[in-house]
Amino acid sequence: MTQATDKDRVWIFDTTLRDGEQSPGATMTHNEKLEIAGLLDEMGVDIIEAGFPIASEGDFKAVSEIAMNSEHSVICGLARANFADIDRCWEAVQHAGKPRIHTFIGTSPLHRAIPNLTRDEMADKIHETVTHARNLCDNVQWSPMDATRTEWDYLARVVEIAIKAGASTINIPDTVGYTAPVESADLIKRLIAEVPGAEDVIFATHCHNDLGMATANSLAAVAGGARQIECTINGLGERAGNTALEEVVMALKVRHDIMPWHTAIDTRKIMHISRRVATVSGFAVQFNKAIVGKNAFAHESGIHQDGMLKNAETFEIMRPEDVGLSGTSLPLGKHSGRAALRDKLNTLGYEVGDNQLKDIFVRFKELADRKKEVFDDDILALVTAASESDEHRLEIVSLKVTCGTAGQAEAVLEMDVDGVEHQATAQGDGPVDATFKAVRAIHPNAARLQLYQVNAVTAGTDAQATVSVRLEEDGVISTGQSANTDTVVASAEAYVHALNRLAIRREKSGPGTDTREISYKDVH
Ligand code: KIV
Ligand code: ZN
């Protein structure tokens, strides 16, 4: 039996780069989008929704380039229900070996009121736009946005129209995360049973997580007959996010006994892509997040550890290796050499070139001098810091911070700007505030600090801190990360990293062109 005719095969449609990226603050750079698309392709994602080509020049370029580079996955772009969107989408995805156009319109009463269309007018529009998309591309997906709040008779009517006009995938979005599992299953079951032509298309489920039910709703939809799940890595997405890819995939794998459906995902690639998405989006994964959270496989209480030592299955329903966590985590130390470091990086999912290895090795030695044992998480933080040291205009030369007892602190900073060294002294409410003020004294800017987040990478007072900073200036968002055993130094580096990226994005795109040309409010 081929995969296409296998009735138990569930297609994984990843929308991290479209629905995920439209989450405020999760903006990724062009190269980051290409990297994530490459990882999705490699892990066996069937369809990658690479972006919304008409939204901006940047989205268009990213979707086009992802389409040109895709090896296995279908590459899909999003388009509203108008010819200009659909043409632009086709222009971008046509380069893919397997292109798809995904066009949508809001069909619930609230959404119909926005363009002020009657039911009949909207039905005609759906017919016209799906036909237009189908004339350009063999593979068309259609979505009635807010399907779960659309009247049953109207939903059935427009789904039939889209099928007749040539859509081969009908996606049923729960746009506001309103539905519940039993409803989700029933809706798909009823559409398949009652809409003429339904047996010839694939039904997809696209759930948002506003009530924390996205994973359950997606799996219920599959039980009702859906065979495509739309999801994102780490559940990234607007508001409470989308269905998390790692959750539905692992649920289908671990509970195959009661959910006899399968995907083509190589689950051992999950951890690596999860970490990369967390880093490039600046959205850290919560520690107790299912599957990919730092604590998902940690067993700290005495009773758990005792059970685990006797039999891992006592408290583990899946093996860490199944999601790409190495079972053992032997720390490196200051005597470990380059070969051991490369070996460790490979185990963690990184293939690094000689130059990158050299860079990481220098950082590793510096860290090993300060810290007795260097754990996997320390290495991951180093890789992130090394890969972030891209082009830069600003570079910290030295930083000295003195803290007073009343919370006041003073930072003395030396920083290179375009190769010229500057110095500033600033006082602030604590060491981080003083340091950021010193950076602004040397490099005045109007960027607003949207997020400042510190995490200890490992346990112990000598642990590295990873710091994430998100800045916003004139609608342009940039994130910066750094790791250091000194939290203030990591904070300064992360701040300067975000400022560098902001400056570079602005130089490359020219004023104003980096922001979305259309609002994503048109989508959600
Ligand atoms: O949530 C939603 O309805 C969407 C559509 C564009 C499919 O993201
Ligand atoms: Zn969505």
Side-chain angles (χ1 to χ4, degrees), residues 500-513:
N500 270 321
R501 294 176 103 191
L502 209 52
I504 288 160
R505 291 184 71 183
R506 185 154 291 118
E507 269 163 29
K508 283 196 177 148
S509 52
T513 51

Side-chain angles (χ1 to χ4, degrees), residues 285-300 325:
V285 174
Q286 86 196 44
F287 280 17
N288 57 342
K289 160 87 179 61
I291 318 293
V292 291
K294 210 178 160 85
N295 290 356
F297 291 91
H299 302 275
E300 286 201 358
L325 275 171

Side-chain angles (χ1 to χ4, degrees), residues 18-19 206 208 242 524:
R18 198 281 294 169
D19 213 327
H206 175 114
H208 281 265
N242 290 68
H524 283 281

